[in-house]
Amino acid sequence: MAQAAAVAKPPAPPRRRRASATPRRLPYLLIAPAALLMLGFIAYPVLSVFYYSLRNYNPTKPWRNGFAGLDNFTQAFVHDPQFWDTLTFSAKWVVVEVALQLLFGLALALIVNQTFVGRAVGRALVFSPWAVSGVLTSAIWVLLYNSQTGISRYLADAGLGSYGTSWLSDTSTVFPAAVVADLWRGVPFFAILILADLQSVSKDLYEAAEVDGASRLKQFWHITLPHLKDAIVLSTLLRAVWEFNNVDLLYTLTGGGPAGETTTLPLYIANTSVDAHNFGYASALTTVAFVILLFCSIVYLRLSKFGGESR
């Protein structure tokens, strides 16, 4: 009797479970409260500045408050020479500070990148000023520049200069004095970033360059600098923005004086809003400063080809 052979059926493939959307969305749900909170703290002040820039708003003169349109911007560009003076000084301050900080920061980074006895202590001393707050830095340099107990008195004791010299009160010396004070705190920022990038340069490149007979200068120009390009571009951009918005150091050192010689645009905005209570005009100046920084940042990144390959 012929018996039909039972053919074993292959097991049915497991059903693919539909991936739940919850696990994929869970990270976004977890960070959503913090993101919304940060967005509120950032977006609301920014939008408020744009809003008040189009209005006359002075709490001490409420009868003058109201819509102003572009009058505040016209006032800044046409009828306010102090705006142009402070903007010019801000540009000068940024260029001088960033250039000198980059130069000295690069030099310090190259020095502490070498192997020598006490390198750890040397690095700590180089980087320590960056840990000091801006107001405390200003207080330190105010004491150093004091005409009775500061550097000028000891120089006068040594026959260099005269007693009672106040570098922060003289229009010919206040700018270099303020530059030196900010250099003390700003140079470590560049040194830290550049040193961190120097650690990733392969030693084989320098060994191959030495075999080919390249000098130290050629190694620096063709190996070190191209490798540091993105770090230099990023650090100079960040520092330029910070220096443009520098208020605490100059306000504590000079208060914008003498005779307005060290008044930057942000310091002028602070005086206009806090002292004169003209928040509408100060908001317009802030909007102009924002547009200037945004435009300059975009142009700088485009010209420097940030993130591109270095030749």
Side-chain angles (χ1 to χ4, degrees), residues 240-262:
V241 174
W242 294 342
E243 289 297 343
F244 184 88
N245 293 318
N246 191 334
V247 173
D248 53 356
L249 184 136
L250 288 175
Y251 182 81
T252 308
L253 274 180
T254 66
E261 287 290 325
T262 57

Side-chain angles (χ1 to χ4, degrees), residues 29-289:
L29 294 176
L30 292 176
I31 66 173
L36 292 175
L37 190 62
M38 292 181 61
L39 182 63
F41 276 104
I42 295 175
Y44 176 74
V46 172
L47 295 177
S48 297
V49 168
F50 292 154
Y51 171 75
Y52 285 112
S53 67
L54 302 175
R55 299 182 63 84
N56 292 320
Y57 182 66
N58 189 332
T60 63
K61 301 176 181 179
W63 59 89
R64 294 185 179 179
N65 295 344
F67 182 73
L70 299 178
D71 290 348
N72 289 326
F73 297 96
T74 304
Q75 171 70 19
F77 288 107
V78 179
H79 305 294
D80 188 1
Q82 192 172 359
F83 164 74
W84 294 106
D85 292 341
T86 57
L87 183 60
T88 302
F89 177 77
S90 297
K92 175 184 175 182
W93 173 262
V94 169
V95 171
V96 172
E97 278 293 343
V98 173
L100 291 178
Q101 289 178 20
L102 173 61
L103 179 63
F104 289 114
L106 177 61
L108 280 177
L110 292 173
I111 292 173
V112 297
N113 190 45
Q114 304 299 318
T115 302
F116 56 88
V117 178
R119 183 174 67 170
V121 177
R123 288 181 175 181
L125 293 176
V126 168
F127 301 152
S128 58
W130 181 246
V132 181
S133 67
V135 175
L136 184 56
T137 299
S138 305
I140 293 172
W141 284 93
V142 165
L143 294 175
L144 289 175
Y145 288 145
N146 188 283
S147 58
Q148 302 299 325
T149 59
I151 301 174
S152 61
R153 177 181 178 180
Y154 293 99
L155 292 177
D157 291 339
L160 302 175
S162 56
Y163 290 100
T165 301
S166 178
W167 294 341
L168 296 178
S169 300
D170 191 341
T171 56
S172 62
T173 58
V174 63
F175 181 73
V179 166
V180 171
D182 199 47
L183 280 177
W184 181 77
R185 185 168 181 260
V187 167
F189 170 77
F190 284 94
I192 293 170
L193 289 184
I194 294 175
L195 177 63
D197 207 22
L198 282 174
Q199 302 295 311
S200 63
V201 182
S202 175
K203 302 298 182 183
D204 297 337
L205 296 175
Y206 295 103
E207 293 176 359
E210 289 181 359
V211 172
D212 292 338
S215 62
R216 287 290 184 90
L217 181 59
K218 289 185 177 180
Q219 292 178 30
F220 172 76
W221 188 260
H222 295 286
I223 298 176
T224 306
L225 273 185
H227 186 86
L228 295 176
K229 173 195 167 185
D230 285 347
I232 291 176
V233 171
L234 180 61
S235 58
T236 51
L237 178 61
L238 290 176
R239 197 60 188 163
V241 174
W242 294 342
E243 289 297 343
F244 184 88
N245 293 318
N246 191 334
V247 173
D248 53 356
L249 184 136
L250 288 175
Y251 182 81
T252 308
L253 274 180
T254 66
E261 287 290 325
T262 57
T263 302
T264 59
L265 181 57
L267 186 55
Y268 178 46
I269 294 172
N271 293 333
T272 302
S273 58
V274 177
D275 297 338
H277 306 289
N278 193 350
F279 292 98
Y281 186 54
S283 298
L285 295 177
T286 303
T287 303
V288 173

